[in-house]
């Protein structure tokens, strides 16, 4: 007998669950890339992407994953030898910094550890000490998907402004866009990057760089930018092929059209609220489980937690055992513990993550939590009582 037959659920922090309507929109013959529907559809995506990002400025689209826009964004505003400041709250902060180093930048990492958000005052201090303004950008991650830390980007901007330092504020919203509140222009973000396969509910393969006039002015000073990464023709194309520097990601565009329609029809405020309620239900269950045993939310304070992904510690080896059980016995795949290795636990076996981004609703989250509860029982992993009741109360009261 197998209890995994039926609809499976990939509850990892990207690729996220995709709406049937998105998949159906992509299921079609190759469209004409010279004229007609696809061209109109693509130009129509740009204002809606900007709405979701909270910006009136520019967007460039790339065929690629999140790593591609880490590089694309840097390639337009950073030259070899430039200094960049990298506040780190998890593996993805390190990743973006390493990408900058690979392009020849001198990276100054300020590591805030794996359990707390960045402290804007420390970043401001580093900028204030740079009286010659040799630091060209601060590379911040809004939600670090490994630790599930959410950083306060508006507070970082305010702290940067108080120093009068001209460094660009560049923000990775790959995990958070379409899940956690983010407002690019209102928060004073100069460059923001995102990708299709998380809150935007489309398969991996398209990614975005949003940039404002200050970033565009910096781009204009750069002596040499790779033709492929250059955002100028992509954001202001004279011909359709320039939008993607080659063939368009045809089917992704159809999927993205439907996903953006769904987000805008629900309303961004409601999308953020839904993620908030579902995240709170998950945290309530985790706190109940944690009352007895080793299970513990990685981030203690609610304000500093992502609404898209939740990282947990559960004690050595239990993380991997629980993930295996949920996948092999119940049809739910949980996220691995990423970037949590210690000498004592080199494979991060004592960690796991819930992805709850994008196309998720109350029944999916309650099913997810009840399945984990079942796994805890089946594997005899110590845990406190009342988790499902606690999650149900959060959802019932919302
Ligand atoms: C997923 C993710 C990335 C990397 O995206 P890929 O598509 O895997 O290259 C970068 N930053 C954050 C915050 C992410 O969540």
């Amino acid at each position: 007998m197998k209890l995994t037959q039926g609809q499976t659920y990939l509850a990892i922090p990207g690729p996220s669950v995709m709406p049937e309507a998105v998949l159906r929109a992509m299921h079609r013959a190759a469209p004409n890339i010279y004229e007609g529907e696809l061209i109109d559809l693509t130009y129509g995506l740009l204002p809606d992407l900007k709405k979701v990002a909270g910006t009136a400025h520019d967007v460039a689209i790339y065929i690629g994953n999140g790593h591609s826009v880490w590089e694309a964004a840097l390639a337009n505003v950073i030259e070899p030898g430039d200094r960049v400041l990298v506040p780190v709250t998890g593996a993805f902060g390190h990743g973006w910094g390493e990408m900058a180093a690979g392009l020849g930048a001198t990276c100054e990492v300020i590591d805030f550890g794996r359990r707390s958000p960045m402290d804007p005052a420390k970043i401001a201090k580093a900028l204030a000490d740079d009286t010659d303004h040799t630091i060209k950008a601060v590379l911040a991650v809004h939600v670090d998907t490994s630790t599930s830390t959410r950083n306060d980007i508006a507070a970082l901007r305010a702290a940067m402004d108080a120093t009068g330092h001209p460094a660009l504020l560049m923000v990775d919203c790959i995990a958070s866009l379409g899940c956690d509140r983010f407002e690019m222009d209102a928060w004073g973000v100069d460059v923001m990057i995102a990708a299709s396969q998380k809150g935007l509910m489309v398969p991996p393969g398209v990614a975005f760089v949003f940039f404002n006039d200050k970033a565009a002015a910096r781009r204009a000073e750069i002596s040499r930018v790779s033709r492929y990464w250059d955002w100028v023709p992509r954001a202001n194309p004279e011909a359709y092929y320039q939008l993607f520097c080659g063939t368009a990601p045809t089917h992704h565009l159809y999927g993205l059209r439907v996903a953006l329609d769904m987000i805008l029809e629900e309303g961004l405020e409601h999308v953020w609220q839904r993620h908030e309620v579902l995240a709170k239900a998950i945290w309530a269950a985790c706190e109940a489980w944690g009352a007895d045993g080793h299970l513990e939310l990685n981030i203690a304070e609610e304000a500093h937690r992502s609404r898209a992904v939740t990282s947990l510690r559960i004690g050595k080896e239990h993380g991997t055992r629980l993930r295996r059980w949920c996948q092999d016995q119940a049809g739910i795949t949980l996220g691995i513990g990423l970037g949590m290795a210690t000498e004592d636990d080199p494979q991060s076996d004592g960690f796991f993550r819930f992805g709850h981004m994008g196309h998720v609703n109350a029944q999916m989250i309650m099913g997810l939590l009840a399945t984990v509860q079942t796994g805890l029982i089946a594997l005899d992993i110590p845990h406190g009582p009342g988790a499902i009741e606690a999650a149900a109360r959060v959802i019932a009261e919302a």
Side-chain angles (χ1 to χ4, degrees):
M1 182 201 67
K2 268 204 156 193
L3 294 175
T4 49
Q5 293 298 341
Q7 181 75 57
T8 56
Y9 175 7
L10 187 71
I12 72 173
S16 62
V17 174
M18 288 174 285
E20 277 299 318
V22 166
L23 296 174
R24 276 200 301 275
M26 297 178 75
H27 191 97
R28 62 177 65 229
N32 187 346
I33 59 166
Y34 304 127
E35 59 187 12
E37 183 182 81
L38 180 71
I39 282 84
D40 298 341
L41 178 145
T42 307
Y43 285 110
L45 294 171
L46 307 178
D48 290 340
L49 283 167
K50 292 180 198 177
K51 262 186 222 161
V52 172
T55 185
H57 295 286
D58 279 302
V59 59
I61 314 182
Y62 296 82
I63 296 189
N65 58 13
H67 283 67
S68 79
V69 283
W70 269 352
E71 177 150 338
L74 294 166
N76 278 277
V77 292
I78 299 298
E79 297 190 286
D82 283 351
R83 288 171 74 201
V84 296
L85 202 58
V86 190
V88 169
T89 56
F92 289 91
H94 284 297
W96 202 10
E98 282 160 19
M99 191 68 91
L103 292 170
T106 303
C107 260
E108 274 152 56
V109 169
I110 308 182
D111 197 339
F112 294 96
R114 301 189 282 197
R115 304 202 68 176
S116 42
M118 60 179 74
D119 174 3
K122 281 207 178 138
I123 298 152
K125 167 83 171 61
L127 291 176
D129 288 347
D130 175 37
T131 47
D132 298 340
H133 296 170
T134 56
I135 295 173
K136 297 303 178 197
V138 175
L139 310 186
V141 178
H142 185 209
V143 162
D144 198 298
T145 323
S146 61
T147 54
S148 68
T149 312
R150 183 176 73 169
N151 290 297
D152 187 342
I153 299 300
L156 174 57
R157 172 84 265 172
M160 288 174 67
D161 284 348
T163 68
H165 194 290
L168 293 174
L169 173 55
M170 302 174 70
V171 181
D172 172 345
C173 288
I174 295 172
S176 53
L177 195 71
C179 308
D180 266 288
R181 174 180 295 279
F182 179 83
E183 299 172 76
M184 176 166 166
D185 292 353
W187 293 1
V189 172
D190 300 309
V191 177
M192 185 272 272
I193 60 173
S196 55
Q197 79 274 23
K198 301 199 181 179
L200 296 180
M201 312 182 293
V202 174
V206 283
F208 314 94
V209 177
F210 298 85
F211 58 95
N212 68 10
D213 296 346
K214 183 176 167 187
R218 170 76 185 142
R219 160 67 191 87
E221 292 168 12
I222 300 281
S223 54
R224 198 173 57 167
V225 173
S226 131
R227 282 278 169 83
Y228 189 74
W229 294 132
D230 194 355
W231 67 34
V232 173
R234 289 174 187 260
N236 306 286
E238 283 162 24
Y240 183 70
Y241 78 91
Q242 292 181 317
L243 262 163
F244 303 99
C245 197
T247 309
T250 49
H251 290 65
H252 281 75
L253 299 174
Y254 281 98
L256 183 60
R257 177 66 270 160
V258 171
L260 289 173
D261 285 344
M262 289 175 73
I263 290 170
L264 294 173
E265 194 177 316
E266 183 179 355
L268 263 182
E269 290 287 343
H270 287 149
V271 169
W272 293 331
Q273 264 176 29
R274 171 168 53 84
H275 280 87
E276 173 125 343
V277 169
L278 298 176
K280 285 185 170 171
I282 290 173
W283 305 338
C286 295
E287 275 156 10
W289 285 323
D292 192 5
H294 298 296
L295 194 135
E296 189 190 0
L297 288 157
N298 186 51
I299 302 298
E301 265 189 69
E302 257 192 47
H304 304 146
R305 288 181 200 151
S306 158
R307 273 62 177 157
V309 51
T310 297
S311 297
L312 298 128
R313 40 190 75 222
I314 190 172
K316 209 173 160 190
E317 279 152 40
H318 290 326
T320 299
R321 289 175 71 219
L322 184 63
R323 283 193 302 104
R324 286 263 157 265
W325 189 92
C326 289
Q327 178 163 293
D328 297 346
Q329 305 299 327
I332 287 189
T333 303
L334 306 178
I336 59 169
L338 190 70
M340 289 297 193
T342 58
E343 234 166 72
D344 193 38
D345 182 6
Q347 301 303 318
S348 309
D349 285 318
F351 294 85
F352 68 99
R353 290 175 299 161
F354 294 127
H356 37 101
M357 45 180 56
H359 194 58
V360 286
N361 61 18
Q363 60 94 3
M364 292 163 76
I365 296 302
M366 291 308 288
L368 168 72
L369 295 172
T371 302
V372 169
Q373 170 80 59
T374 313
L376 293 171
I377 293 169
L379 298 172
D380 236 347
I381 299 174
H383 61 278
I388 303 307
E389 171 89 19
R393 285 208 177 281
V394 172
I395 288 177
E397 280 159 22

